[in-house]
Each structure stands twice: as structure tokens, then as C-alpha cells.
Amino acid sequence: MEKEIVIKHQQIKVGLDFDNYPPDNYNPLFFTKVNGAVVNQHKLNAFIGIDKLNDDGIYNECYCTLEQGDKLGDFFSTLPYGIINKTITGIGATTLELNCERNSIIVLPTKSLAYNKYKQKQNKDGVDSCMYIGSPMGDISSDITINQIKDYISKETGYKKFLVVADSLFKVIDAIGNDNYDDYFLMVDEIDTLQIDNTYRPVLEKVIDYYSLFKQTNRAVVSATLRKFTHPELLKETIVTTKYPTIEKRNISLVHTNNEDLCVVKAIKGIIEDNPNEKILIAYNSIDGIFMCVMLLKKEFGESIVDDIGILCSERSRDKVQDLYIEVDEKGYLSKKIVFMSCAYFVGVDINDSCHIISVSTFNKPFTLLSKEKLAQIVGRCRNGILTETIVYNTEESETQDSYIDYKNTLMNKAVSLAEATNKFKDVLDVYPELFNAYNYINDIIKHVGLEKVSASYSIPLIRENHNGMIVPSYFNVDALLEKWEIRNELYNDEESLPISLKKDGHIIENNDCYYELTEEQKEYATLISQNSDTRILRALQEAKEKISSFNEIEDSGFKRNLLEKERKNCIVQVKKFYDNYINLSPYYDSNYLMDLLIEHHMEDSRLYRKFINSLVFHTLDDTHPFKSLVLGVFEYHKMNKRKIPGISVTSKERKEKMNIICNSYFKGYNIKDRVFNSLMPCFFKEGSTKRYFRIIGLNPMNFLEPLKKIKTMDAETLFKWFMFE
């Protein structure tokens, strides 16, 4: 049985079992179980050791050296509980859990991964051998309901195996019920992907909320590229690290450059010339960057090269890439010779082709810098090995003065303090329930203050609402920010950091730097790509308008709202703001007029679009609304027509002072910069012609039609969300 043992007066926290040796005549391993999983004693060349003595004198980790080439299922009877640090891609963690004799809930980061595992299991063991839980894909034509999950549980078909997309885990939790958690083992695969992707899929961290409901012996998180955790629930766990006796060294061609797209094309050309029949897989998390490479390839090889090119990307980007969109087939093979893939395919997808891998990591496109872990994951997609590996990258000197530890402490202190402040205020509301509406107001302030700025236009929340409605630190977002800090300041700070780090890991590095000026063709193609992108967005907007027009025929307002929310959720990012503003303002304007107005201004630059939205929102407010009333009162608008020459002249100093009074009074505590306050005045008032002053000559500066009705009451929190302050 499992027990705590003493080694040199230190406790072992890892669940290790010494009993029940097999009766056969061979020498058993020292341990027979690791964290609940029975060890295969026939594996005489494998061994287990104890590692990682922590500050409390606890051995918190053990390492299991497998026989070279073995899968996890060759060594363990089931997946051990705790944190499983595989260190090796493709060694069958999901397969082991699918085949073991217990009920399993397997959480995966993407629906393509969940669906492919589901199909493989079904094809092998039958229709009822497992169940996919996620949005429609393949032969799953509609969302899976909780009742369907309950029906599957009630079938007498042996052990229940759920393959669940992380966003849909709540359905399975609801279906099995609070009293039945002990009947299931919860496995969260690719935990590092959940950590990093939580910044734009905030529901992912709720997986750990549900994870905490299971006993420690009934749960595991798994990764081949494990990252450090800050989440307290995961810091409790013991770690089981698996590895091979011989660590495979990668032969990597590193290309430092100032022109990543041209370098990618040169690399592809070299491979085609030397190995014309071999496949090339390019990991590039930028659709525009991929388009640039495709255009340069067409210039290099002619139009016919397009027949050999495919793009693996999310369904959301499918409309962008159109005819170039492909998927990995059910047997794991690529249908094209030159395949680009976005980050949706960087993890968890099995490709059975052996490919030449080219990974692109650049400052020139947002969200394309790659960690060493991500580079390893990309290589790991080819389950039968790779032919060559090339990394194309550029660098930029960092200006940060903070150390990693200082930055981590700052983030953690800020997140914890903000969460505590919100929850203390909730305690006050329990005593004074008549203040309940104030909670939303304060909570919204803290959420806006609780952002860590990554760039001028991109911020990441440090706090979140958990499954119980409590505000807690967003530990996964902290983890993601720490990864960004490491990538930015330790890998890509200068030309030498990446090769030095990869060499330390034992890889063989060859430097093949190349530098090119931006060509005239690239400048021309960049303009075409931008125009094509605008055309795609306009087409998507027109399609959105047609859908909304059809929804307006539906009398059930709740059903119509649900349809709108679903379209908003599934549309491309650039069209989301159209849906957001339509949903907000549709009760107040004729539907067609509002949609045409939103489409007309949609493609404007951010400054002009911000002015448009702020003008429209202010115009929709009734004069009696507290904010509009305050604005009109501070500028004494009621006196305008009483003067000999109608109008009110406002100096630059007065303008700044009065706008600060208004915004600091009404939006007190919100994180809004003074320059933003100042920019709002032209959104509120029509301006007369004068060089010295801002001369107010009326309202409605953009000459909108009058609303069907006006907003008389709206709290500061909602109005703050409707206005565009950044």
C-alpha cells in the first residue's frame, strides 16, 4: 500500500509503493507504484529516482527513466496523479488514460485535438467507447448538451471516457454531479497551452477551478514542455518526470535576420531544389506573414506553386485563407507539399509525415515570438521525426531594468492585492445589502486598474472571477506574462542569446544569418495584403448585416439575443466590435441605419473610429442622463443661445480643466488618462470655425439621425464600457 517513508530524515511526498512484488524470478524495481500507477516490473532497464527537495524538507518529485523508445503505457498501468512532466512529445499520455480501466475526463486545449483523439478511440473500440464534448466538428453537427452527456453515462458500456475541449468542461462537471467526482480521474493535457492561451481565452483557467474539486489522487496535469506555475492548487502537487536515457539532440539551423519573410522563402527554395519531393512545414503565427511568403513564392516559382501550398489555421481564420485552407487528414497526413501552420496547430496535433520544419519568431508581427518550449512542441508535431529544422528569428534590445524575480513579485502582489480589495468590499455588502449595486461599479474599476500592459494596444488582466463568483488572481495570466518577459529579455534581447540557450540544452547549432533590405515587391505585396484584408473584413461585415436582418424577423427577443451572441463569439476578431456596438445600440436606432453607420466607419483608423463611437453614444444619451447633464452644466450649454453671438468659446486651458472635472467626477477611480478626457470634447459638441478657441455651436457633431428613444438611465460601469477611452 502507499505510505510516507523516511529517507535521511526527509519525507517523501510522492506516492511510492514498495509492496506487492510480483512472484516471478526476476529482480523487481525498487518501487512498484508511482502516484497510484502500477510500474511494469519487466522493464529491467528502466528505473525510478527521487528528486527535488523543497524548502520544507519534502521530496516533491520523482523521475522515471523509461527504456529508450517506450511509451508511458509500457511502463505504467495508468497515468499517475499529480503533475506529469513528460519531457518527450508523443509518448502516449492520452492513449494511456483512454485505455486504462477507470472512468476518465480528459481535457484538451483545442477542439481539433479533442475530436481527433475521439475519432481514433471510436475507430478502434466502437461508437460508445468515448464521447467528444465541444463545439461542432466533423460528424458532430451541434453542441453537445448536458442531457446527452447524462445519457452516455447511463449506458452500460464499460468505463466512461470523455474527451473535452477546455471551454466545455463545465458541462461534464454538471452532468456527473457533485457526489460523483471520486468516480472519475481528471486529466488536463497540454497544461502549458492553457497557461499561455488564457490571456485571450480566459475561460481556460476555470479548468483549474474544477480541477480543485477532485481529490489529489484523482487528477493530473500533463505537459512535455512544462512551465513554472504560480497557481496555489498546482503548487500543492507532486511531480512525476519521465525521460529517456538518451536525450535526442536537435540539429538546428539558426537564421538571424532583419527580413524574416524573404529568409523563409529562401529556405523553402533551398529545400525544394535539394529535395523536391519532401514536405515542408512552416510554423508562422501570422496570416499576413504567411500571405507575404506565398506571394514571394509565386514570384519565385510561378503561379503553379500555389497548387502545392496549404495553410493549417483555426476555423476563425478559414475565411481569410479561403482556398489555401487544409486540415490534417484522419490518418495524420498532410495533403500539400508546402504547409504553413498558425499557432492553432503548434500543440497537440499528430502529423505522420516526416517534414522539414521552419519556425518563424519575429518582433515584426504581433504574437509571433516563440519560446524554446514552443519550438520543441512544433518539432514534436511530426510523430515520425523531422528531416531538418530551421529557426528564422530577429532580435530587439530590451529596455527593462527589472529582474525576473522583481517582475514576478510585482505581478503577484498587484494581483493578490486587487483580488483581496474586491472581496473585502463584498464582505461589506453582506452587512449593507442596500449597497449591492455598488459592487458592480467597484468591481469594474478594479478590473480596469488590474491590467498589465504588454504593448500600447494590448493589456492582460491580473484578476478574474472564478467558478464560485469570487475575484481571484489570474495565475495563468501571470504565468503567461512571465513567459513573455523571459522570451523578450532572455531569448531575443540580442543575436547570441537564443543560440547560447539552445546549446546549453545540448542541441547542435549552425548559424546561417542573412540580411536583406525590404524589396520593392514586398512593399507592393504588403499593400495588396492590407487591401485584401480590408476586402475580407467588409465582406464579413456585409454577411453579418444579412444575418442580423434575418434575426430581426424573429419575435422571441431572448432567442434573437442568443443568436447574436453566438455570431459574435464565432466571428473574426475585426468584426467583433461591429457586433458589440450593434448589440449595445440597436434598441435606440433603426436597425438598417445603425448597421450602415457602423459599417461606414468600421475601417477608419482607431482615432477616427473612437471619435465616431463616442459621438454616437453621447448623442444617444438623454439630456437628463447624469453624465450628459454634467457635461452640459459644466460648459453652461444652456446659456449658448442667450448670447448676442450664439456659441461658447472655450480656451485650451478651460477645455482641459472642465473635461477633467467632468470625467474625474463621473468616472472617479477609473484608469483614464488626462489626454483622453481632453479628446472627448469634439465628440460631444459641434465646433465653430475659429483658430484661437474651441467654439461650441451645438451638439451632435457628426449629424446623426435622432434616436428612436434616448437613454435616460445607465450606470457609470456600463457607460464606461460603451465609450472608447483607448
Side-chain angles (χ1 to χ4, degrees), residues 374-385:
K374 195 68 74 179
L375 291 166
Q377 287 174 333
I378 290 165
V379 170
R381 302 286 57 80
C382 292
R383 294 312 198 192
N384 293 315

Side-chain angles (χ1 to χ4, degrees), residues 324-518:
L324 293 176
Y325 179 83
I326 63 168
E327 294 178 354
V328 180
D329 69 26
E330 288 191 8
K331 294 183 179 179
Y333 290 99
L334 302 173
S335 59
K336 300 289 184 178
K337 190 166 70 175
I338 304 169
V339 177
F340 293 87
M341 66 176 179
S342 71
C343 66
Y345 281 81
F346 287 0
V347 296
V349 177
D350 297 345
I351 296 172
N352 289 323
D353 295 286
S354 293
C355 301
H356 297 272
I357 300 287
I358 301 172
S359 300
V360 185
S361 186
T362 173
F363 282 92
N364 293 331
K365 306 286 193 306
F367 314 112
T368 53
L369 286 180
L370 302 174
S371 65
K372 288 193 301 179
E373 292 81 9
K374 195 68 74 179
L375 291 166
Q377 287 174 333
I378 290 165
V379 170
R381 302 286 57 80
C382 292
R383 294 312 198 192
N384 293 315
I386 64 170
L387 301 173
T388 61
E389 180 182 3
T390 301
I391 300 172
V392 177
Y393 73 107
N394 58 30
T395 53
E396 190 175 280
E397 187 175 353
S398 172
E399 297 179 358
T400 186
Q401 301 298 316
D402 289 339
S403 69
Y404 176 87
I405 295 299
D406 289 341
Y407 183 54
K408 178 181 177 180
N409 290 338
T410 298
L411 292 177
M412 291 295 292
N413 290 337
K414 185 176 179 182
V416 170
S417 297
L418 287 166
E420 287 178 350
T422 312
N423 291 316
K424 283 178 181 177
F425 188 78
K426 288 180 72 176
D427 292 340
V428 173
L429 297 181
D430 290 338
V431 180
Y432 301 103
E434 67 272 16
L435 297 176
F436 180 75
N437 288 335
Y439 170 70
N440 290 329
Y441 177 76
I442 297 297
N443 184 35
D444 197 63
I445 293 174
I446 292 178
K447 282 184 177 179
H448 283 92
V449 172
L451 298 173
E452 183 68 16
K453 206 154 197 176
V454 177
S455 66
S457 59
Y458 180 51
S459 297
I460 292 177
L462 290 178
I463 53 178
R464 68 181 182 94
E465 188 174 55
N466 72 6
H467 70 304
N468 287 326
M470 296 294 289
I471 302 301
V472 296
S474 179
Y475 294 105
F476 277 13
N477 281 358
V478 170
D479 295 341
L481 285 163
L482 291 172
E483 185 202 50
K484 288 179 185 297
W485 190 98
E486 288 181 286
I487 292 172
R488 175 68 186 85
N489 298 293
E490 294 181 359
L491 277 188
Y492 299 103
N493 184 46
D494 56 54
E495 182 180 346
E496 298 301 323
S497 295
L498 181 62
I500 288 172
S501 185
L502 290 170
K503 285 176 183 176
K504 281 183 179 178
D505 294 339
H507 304 304
I508 301 165
I509 304 300
E510 180 184 344
N511 292 304
N512 293 296
D513 302 345
C514 64
Y515 305 96
Y516 303 101
E517 292 298 320
L518 203 65

